Amino acid sequence: MSDLSRRNFLKLSAGIACGPCAANVLSQTGIPTEAEAHSPFATTLPYPRKKLANVNELAVGKELSMTYPDRFSPISLLKLGRRAVNGAGADHDIVAFSRYCTHMGGTLIYRPESGSYRCPLHYATFDAAKGGLIVIGQATDNLPQLDLEVDGKGDIYAVGIKGLIYGRQANILT
Ligand code: FES
């Protein structure tokens, strides 16, 4: 190997070796690395705080339909009448879920007699009292559940979502 080609080889090796170092330094400074910036899971956009309803508008077993975090994402808000996982309000029984089935995006139907959501496409069923737990069917993920807050006036706010809305790479669209 000539001196010239050996020099180029060493330069190239040093560049390759320092690539990860540079990425690590960027990561420590809070500046996204190239890989982070292009990851579909890298969104850091905050969830909106959106008023959904007032507790006075709810009745046990009757759901309200609306959207969150944007108009393309239908949700179901309901008062179960019994304590629920992540339930909001004085009785911890107010819950809200994405309306889209986690299997293939079917639009779910709430069944008050069982407190569950049933998908009309392949019959996956999700338990509203257990945080949207899949209880039967082909879906492998639980139903995304909204994080709710109730203020002193009884206004119910959505402030986030646990789980990924069907069909999205991130819940907040850019
Ligand atoms: S789309 Fe809901 S079970 Fe298949």
Side-chain angles (χ1 to χ4, degrees):
M1 189 179 285
S2 72
D3 271 358
L4 187 57
S5 62
R6 187 177 297 124
R7 195 174 308 128
N8 285 341
F9 174 78
L10 291 173
K11 277 185 190 172
L12 182 63
S13 300
I16 291 170
C18 288
C21 304
N24 197 25
V25 168
L26 282 177
S27 183
Q28 289 172 357
T29 60
I31 299 169
T33 63
E34 184 81 6
E36 288 170 341
H38 293 95
S39 167
F41 304 106
T43 181
T44 54
L45 296 174
Y47 281 98
R49 178 180 170 82
K50 179 182 177 184
K51 181 181 172 183
L52 301 180
N54 187 277
V55 293
N56 295 328
E57 300 171 63
L58 301 179
V60 172
K62 181 169 171 267
E63 66 170 334
L64 299 179
S65 294
M66 48 199 69
T67 61
Y68 183 84
D70 53 64
R71 65 192 176 96
F72 304 109
S73 172
I75 62 158
S76 166
L77 171 70
L78 58 92
K79 181 176 176 64
L80 280 172
R82 59 194 161 102
R83 194 179 185 97
V85 172
N86 301 316
D91 299 323
H92 304 280
D93 65 343
I94 300 171
V95 291
F97 295 92
S98 169
R99 178 74 75 178
Y100 289 149
C101 177
T102 57
H103 179 221
M104 293 178 70
T107 302
L108 300 168
I109 297 167
Y110 181 63
R111 303 168 76 213
E113 68 277 10
S114 61
S116 63
Y117 291 90
R118 166 77 64 85
C119 180
L121 298 189
H122 314 105
Y123 308 111
T125 302
F126 304 87
D127 192 326
K130 293 181 179 170
L133 181 73
I134 173 77
V135 291
I136 192 167
Q138 300 176 35
T140 55
D141 291 327
N142 296 337
L143 201 55
Q145 182 174 24
L146 275 67
D147 295 321
L148 302 177
E149 291 178 1
V150 181
D151 71 9
K153 294 183 292 186
D155 290 333
I156 304 163
Y157 290 87
V159 297
I161 302 178
K162 293 180 181 65
L164 186 62
I165 299 167
Y166 179 81
R168 297 192 178 194
Q169 294 182 324
N171 285 340
I172 302 297
L173 301 176
T174 54

